[in-house]
Amino acid sequence: MIFVPAERKDPMFEFLLSPIPGLIALGIVVFLIGLIYAKTVYKNAGPDEALVITGKKSKKTIVDGATMEESGQRVVHGQGVFITPFFQKAFKISLRSRAIEITAVAQDQNGVTLTVEAVAIVKVGDDPAAIRAAAQRFLGQDKNIDGFAQEVLSGSLRSSIGGTNVMTIIQKRDELGSSVLATARESLANQGVDVDSFEIKGITDENDYIRDLGRAEQAKVRRQAEVAEHQANREAQEAAILAEQAIAEAQNTLALRKAALQLDTDKAAAEAAAAKPLAEAKAQQAIVQEQELTAQRRASLRKAELESEVNAIADADAYRIRVTAIAAAEAAVAGANADRDSRIANAEALRAEGQAEADAILARGTAEATATRLSAEAVAEQSEALIQLRMVEMLPEIARELAAPMSNIDNLTVISTDGASQLTKNVASGFTEVDGVLKSTMGLGIRELLGNLVGGVAAGAAAATTVKPQASLTTAQQADVDHALAAPAVEA
């Protein structure tokens, strides 16, 4: 037995062949048709629009024996409404406000020709009767509303101007506007048009009548203004004079006050200047008094310190002396015996030493007497040599005096071809002059003085060596004698 597999069918193909897609397409078509139909039968009015629906029969009613016919037109604004296709129609009319410029040339009741400019705000009325009336006259021709309203308002404005005068128009413009609206409102309402406001913009005339009306008033006002200005100027000048006078008086008072204050200030400054030295003197006196008290207290303190120190030292010294005295007494008792023996021995030694010293003194005296005698003889014989020796001793002092002027010079400039050696020559020339003076007065120059001095010293030394001692002397005694003999020679 053979099995044949069944053919596999596509689900999408089966879905397309089923009645479901046709039903979906039919539903979409019905929906679109419904939208188109709804758009056709449903009308919606904007906030500034009104719908006028026609096609319905009018109704007649009898009220108090009078037959009233109700229009079959339906007015709808601010909402939507369904209409019956083929039997009813819907028309839109604008309810927007519009500004209209109005210019009217007319004569007032005095025959003065005036040109009045005004502006009016008009629109289609809000009630259904006004909308139906406007639709009957201006549907599809909204611009005609401006021209119609302008003509009606211009005529009403000319009529109102003819019933008043210039001063009333100028002073009471609101009354003119109200009169224009009262005259034109009925005519406009019959056309379905309403006026929101009416304002007068300006009033002019070609003959300067309005300007001439104000000339008298202007002159009066100008005159009053000039008078007031002069009065104000006079008052201002008077006020300025009073102000200057007050300023001058204030300045005078201020100057006097400043002078008084300056006087007080100078007086206070003088008193302060005089009080300062006095205060300083008093302060100095107080300081001196305090210093005196301080010195007295310091002296008292120092006195007390010294007394304390002296007392302490005295007590310590007394104790030390007492202890020392006791120790010394004990030592003295102990050393007295030793001193006795020592003194006995020392006395013998001193006796021998005194004898030796006596012998030495005797020999020294003998030698000195001999040397003195020899010196006296030499002085007597050689007095001229002593004078020459004195002159030689004065040579350094003479040289010092010759050089003294140069020692006081801080800076020295030598102007000579020999340079600094000229100074040495000047000093040498000074000694030459001194040598000339000595030769002219004493007959000896510096060279002869120095030669005689050297010869005298040599002779003195030779004479001293010829003296012999007369007694036998010790070595120490011989040294004293030699020293005594050498002294005169050195002095020579």
Side-chain angles (χ1 to χ4, degrees):
M1 183 173 171
I2 300 172
F3 295 95
V4 179
E7 294 181 0
R8 186 176 181 182
K9 296 181 180 180
D10 188 359
M12 182 60 68
F13 182 73
E14 291 181 353
F15 176 74
L16 293 176
L17 292 177
S18 66
I20 295 175
L23 294 174
I24 294 173
L26 180 61
I28 294 173
V29 171
V30 170
F31 178 74
L32 293 176
I33 292 173
L35 289 178
I36 295 172
Y37 179 76
K39 182 175 178 57
T40 303
V41 300
Y42 186 79
K43 300 297 181 179
N44 188 14
D48 58 346
E49 295 177 335
L51 291 176
V52 179
I53 302 171
T54 61
K56 188 178 180 181
K57 293 181 179 182
S58 60
K59 294 181 181 180
K60 294 181 179 182
T61 58
I62 299 173
V63 179
D64 296 332
T67 302
M68 303 293 296
E69 185 178 359
E70 183 180 354
S71 175
Q73 297 176 0
R74 182 184 177 189
V75 177
V76 176
H77 59 85
Q79 60 183 353
V81 64
F82 286 97
I83 62 173
T84 304
F86 306 109
F87 298 102
Q88 292 179 340
K89 290 183 179 181
F91 301 93
K92 288 184 178 182
I93 186 171
S94 177
L95 302 179
R96 295 178 181 177
S97 299
R98 56 200 74 197
I100 300 174
E101 298 288 340
I102 300 170
T103 302
V105 179
Q107 291 79 27
D108 65 352
Q109 63 183 3
N110 295 324
V112 179
T113 301
L114 301 175
T115 300
V116 180
E117 296 178 355
V119 61
I121 306 299
V122 300
K123 62 182 290 292
V124 175
D126 294 330
D127 59 282
I131 293 174
R132 283 193 294 267
Q136 290 176 2
R137 294 166 177 81
F138 306 109
L139 187 63
Q141 299 178 356
D142 292 345
K143 293 182 179 180
N144 293 334
I145 296 175
D146 296 348
F148 173 76
Q150 186 176 15
E151 292 297 333
V152 172
L153 291 172
S154 297
S156 178
L157 179 57
R158 285 191 292 270
S159 175
S160 298
I161 291 172
T164 185
N165 54 41
V166 177
M167 292 302 297
T168 303
I169 296 173
I170 294 173
Q171 296 175 358
K172 299 178 180 180
R173 295 188 180 189
D174 293 340
E175 292 183 0
L176 179 62
S178 299
S179 176
V180 171
L181 291 178
T183 305
R185 192 181 296 278
E186 185 177 355
S187 300
L188 294 174
N190 291 334
Q191 306 299 320
V193 179
D194 190 15
V195 181
D196 287 343
S197 66
F198 184 85
E199 299 294 336
I200 302 298
K201 293 175 59 179
I203 303 171
T204 59
D205 70 292
E206 297 180 356
N207 299 321
D208 295 333
Y209 178 79
I210 297 175
R211 189 184 65 178
D212 292 339
L213 288 176
R215 290 178 64 183
E217 186 66 23
Q218 290 176 359
K220 180 180 178 181
V221 172
R222 187 181 298 110
R223 183 171 62 254
Q224 293 176 354
E226 290 177 354
V227 171
E229 183 177 1
H230 290 305
Q231 182 68 22
N233 291 334
R234 183 174 61 80
E235 293 177 355
Q237 291 177 358
E238 291 177 354
I241 293 171
L242 292 176
E244 291 180 358
Q245 183 178 358
I247 292 172
E249 292 176 356
Q251 289 179 349
N252 186 21
T253 303
L254 179 61
L256 294 175
R257 182 58 179 166
K258 285 183 177 179
L261 292 176
Q262 186 64 37
L263 180 61
D264 294 340
T265 302
D266 295 340
K267 182 178 179 181
E271 292 178 354
K276 182 178 180 181
L278 181 60
E280 291 179 352
K282 291 182 178 180
Q284 190 67 28
Q285 291 177 1
I287 293 172
V288 171
Q289 292 178 357
E290 292 296 329
Q291 289 178 350
E292 290 178 355
L293 293 175
T294 303
Q296 292 176 0
R297 292 178 181 177
R298 186 180 293 113
S300 300
L301 179 60
R302 183 58 181 167
K303 180 179 179 182
E305 290 178 353
L306 291 175
E307 290 177 354
S308 177
E309 291 176 358
V310 169
N311 291 333
I313 294 172
D315 295 339
D317 290 342
Y319 178 76
R320 180 177 56 78
I321 291 171
R322 185 170 57 256
V323 173
T324 303
I326 294 172
E330 294 178 353
V333 172
N337 296 326
D339 287 342
R340 184 184 56 204
D341 296 335
S342 176
R343 287 179 179 179
I344 292 172
N346 288 335
E348 295 296 332
L350 287 174
R351 185 182 301 111
E353 184 179 356
Q355 185 64 39
E357 288 180 357
D359 295 339
I361 291 170
L362 177 61
R364 187 182 298 112
T366 303
E368 289 178 355
T370 303
T372 299
R373 180 176 52 79
L374 293 176
S375 297
E377 293 176 356
V379 170
E381 294 175 355
Q382 298 181 359
S383 59
E384 184 178 358
L386 290 176
I387 294 173
Q388 293 177 1
L389 178 61
R390 183 59 180 167
M391 292 298 298
V392 172
E393 289 177 354
M394 292 178 66
L395 288 178
E397 185 67 23
I398 294 171
R400 187 180 299 107
E401 293 297 329
L402 289 175
M406 293 186 182
S407 64
N408 295 326
I409 298 174
D410 293 334
N411 295 318
L412 177 64
T413 301
V414 179
I415 302 175
S416 175
T417 56
D418 295 335
S421 61
Q422 184 64 30
L423 295 174
T424 306
K425 293 179 179 180
N426 291 335
V427 175
S429 65
F431 277 103
T432 303
E433 293 176 358
V434 173
D435 183 62
V437 171
L438 293 176
K439 285 182 178 181
S440 63
T441 55
M442 299 179 62
L444 294 175
I446 295 175
R447 180 177 298 177
E448 288 80 359
L449 288 174
L450 295 175
N452 294 335
L453 175 63
V454 172
V457 170
T465 55
T466 59
V467 180
K468 299 295 183 178
Q470 299 296 325
S472 178
L473 300 175
T474 63
T475 302
Q477 292 174 349
Q478 186 64 38
D480 292 337
V481 173
D482 294 338
H483 178 73
L485 292 175
V490 172
E491 291 178 358

